Amino acid sequence: IRKDADSSERVLMDMRWGLVPSWFKQDNPSRLQFNTSNCRSDTMLSKSSYKGALLKGRRCVVLADGFYEWQQQSGGKQPYFIYFPQTKDAMDKETEGDEEWKGWRLLTMAGIFDCWKPPGEEEMLYTYSIITVDASKDVSFIHHRQVRPGKGVAGMPAILDGDEAIRKWLDFAEVPTQEAVKLIQPTENVVFHPVSTFVNNIRNNAPECVAPIELGAKKEVKATPSNKVMLSWLKSSQEGSPQKKENDLPKWTSQFIHTPSRKKTSADVLQQWLGKQGQPPVKKHKA
């Protein structure tokens, strides 16, 4: 972050999931001895991996369609997909001149990022960690008990609900750290449905991962007012997406590049969501 940067400006960047602290001295981020994908809210101001970046105002918002939790059952673990409630017009096609994005409402999760440069290299690697909190009351039923993230049973992401919360979290100049961390609380404003265990295999990246199922029958749920939006959205996610060019990236990033799925991800939705947030305008920078 430039010292003279406009702290109200929103910037869209590609970042690697799993924060690499700026003070890390080795030449390969995979040599980091601990997992930094998630950051517990109660220790983020005490652990050196996150404290420095947080106090420097390196706060970000991580966008996702939703996240998963698994409920322990007699026959194994049942996955659930958790996401923001959707409006009935969430799949209306955007037309030229529209001032507001009406598509799928993405989860806006609070995160911390840092900038790391390996010894002898000029290219900067941007990485982030998602802040976690204890599960909210509605979600905690999936787990029979609430346990701290990283101790066998996860909590849930710290979700920023609404534009005002997002603005305060991102505005590092006007909203100091101690004020911003008050935004990190569990939210009840989420909905969820069971999905197929197809999602348990990390190689699977298809609509089946989020399609609702009927427990017991293990089949796709018939369309109802509550899941028509989801089923319609899944239908629209079948187009191909452009392949990343590995040669355009620094040599040390190759270990983090995964072969993209032929099916469309949420990239286009993310772009449109950010592009429709109003003032200040979004600038797209390439990490």
Side-chain angles (χ1 to χ4, degrees), residues 64-175:
D65 302 307
F67 68 98
Y68 298 95
E69 290 288 1
W70 282 259
Q71 183 184 48
Q72 184 65 53
Q73 298 182 347
S74 57
K77 291 185 177 180
Q78 172 60 53
Y80 283 79
F81 182 57
I82 304 169
Y83 51 101
F84 268 142
Q86 303 297 314
T87 59
K88 63 180 181 180
D89 60 349
M91 284 313 302
D92 284 355
K93 298 298 181 182
E94 184 181 22
T95 58
E96 188 175 352
D98 277 356
E99 296 182 356
E100 182 181 358
W101 165 247
K102 296 180 180 178
W104 184 266
R105 186 188 177 192
L106 298 168
L107 276 184
T108 43
M109 302 179 290
I112 303 170
F113 77 93
D114 212 341
C115 313
W116 172 78
K117 187 166 65 174
E121 295 280 350
E122 292 300 322
E123 294 284 354
M124 190 78 72
L125 175 66
Y126 286 78
T127 60
Y128 71 94
S129 179
I130 296 174
I131 300 173
T132 60
V133 294
D134 285 333
S136 64
K137 181 179 179 181
D138 286 348
V139 174
S140 63
F141 94 96
I142 297 176
H143 299 308
H144 295 297
R145 56 195 177 93
Q146 291 191 18
V147 179
R148 292 293 187 186
K151 300 298 183 182
V153 181
M156 66 182 295
I159 297 170
L160 301 166
D161 190 1
D163 231 20
E164 181 64 10
I166 293 170
R167 183 194 66 78
K168 288 182 177 179
W169 180 251
L170 290 178
D171 199 338
F172 58 90
E174 296 298 325
V175 183

Side-chain angles (χ1 to χ4, degrees), residues 1-6 9 172 283 285:
I1 299 176
R2 302 189 317 272
K3 291 184 179 180
D4 61 344
D6 179 359
E9 180 182 12
F172 58 90
K283 290 185 179 179
H285 293 219

